[in-house]
Amino acid sequence: MGSEKTDNRVDVPFSGDERTLLCSFLDFLRGTIEHKCRGLGDEDAARPVLPSQLTTAAGIVKHLRWVENHWFRVALAGEPSKAPYTQDDPDADWRVEPGETISGLLADYAAECTASRELVAGLDLDHEVAFRGDERLSVRWVLIHMIEETGRHAGHLDAVRELLDGTTGE
């Protein structure tokens, strides 16, 4: 008797090549972000439940969209940044603006994740680009960092969701 899958998260294999495992874990965490937001209305998704006032479910999704954009499109592909944050307003990617909805932010995040997947599919894990002057940045490092970043924020989303409406679990 197996358990029925209730979301669109990928099943991470227990073995496989490095690329398969890294990409599968990242995709599982990306799916977890969507899963943890399921059923949230716009008002609750934008409601702060922590003292920072920025850590909202919608803010986490918006932030992760721009983190994906930065590490894949900007850092690896060399595209210009279109992120809303600046030196003067470093938290703009966390702030939910009027008219932004959780469904729209999730759609933007999903589109960014698709662009990230497509970019990585065409690059070797050892592919490197110039980064921050004389440093080198590899695809492997970006994937590992994104697993860490997405996992950390999935944990934040666990706490935010429980504080919003008591929903717990995966």
Side-chain angles (χ1 to χ4, degrees):
M1 178 187 281
S3 62
E4 192 171 311
K5 195 166 180 173
T6 59
D7 59 49
N8 64 358
R9 291 180 290 181
V10 302
D11 290 322
V12 178
F14 293 113
S15 64
D17 63 79
E18 183 180 17
R19 175 183 293 277
T20 298
L21 293 174
L22 291 172
C23 291
S24 295
F25 267 102
L26 182 53
D27 278 339
F28 176 82
L29 290 167
R30 288 166 170 158
T32 298
I33 298 301
E34 185 274 330
H35 177 74
K36 293 302 291 186
C37 291
R38 186 172 291 136
L40 278 178
D42 293 331
E43 189 174 311
D44 278 343
R47 184 163 49 102
V49 293
L50 297 172
S52 73
Q53 299 295 302
L54 287 172
T55 308
T56 65
I60 290 168
V61 173
K62 184 175 180 178
H63 170 72
L64 281 171
R65 178 265 174 109
W66 290 109
V67 170
E68 287 272 343
N69 177 273
H70 173 77
W71 287 109
F72 291 99
R73 289 194 200 213
V74 177
L76 284 178
E79 293 181 16
S81 178
K82 297 177 184 174
Y85 50 79
T86 64
Q87 255 185 331
D88 294 332
D89 189 5
D91 295 323
D93 61 325
W94 286 89
R95 195 171 33 256
V96 180
E97 302 294 346
E100 290 182 319
T101 64
I102 189 63
S103 62
L105 292 168
L106 284 166
D108 290 346
Y109 177 57
E112 202 64 54
C113 291
T114 296
S116 298
R117 272 186 218 96
E118 289 171 358
L119 175 71
V120 166
L123 298 173
D124 188 83
L125 293 178
D126 292 322
H127 176 80
E128 293 183 349
V129 296
F131 186 68
R132 295 183 181 163
D134 62 351
E135 297 289 329
R136 304 294 296 168
L137 177 70
S138 73
V139 171
R140 178 181 288 102
W141 188 96
V142 170
L143 287 170
I144 292 168
H145 176 67
M146 287 305 300
I147 290 167
E148 177 272 330
E149 180 86 8
T150 309
R152 184 163 47 97
H153 291 309
H156 294 146
L157 194 50
D158 280 338
V160 166
R161 186 65 192 256
E162 184 173 355
L163 290 167
L164 281 171
D165 63 9
T167 298
T168 61
E170 282 191 37

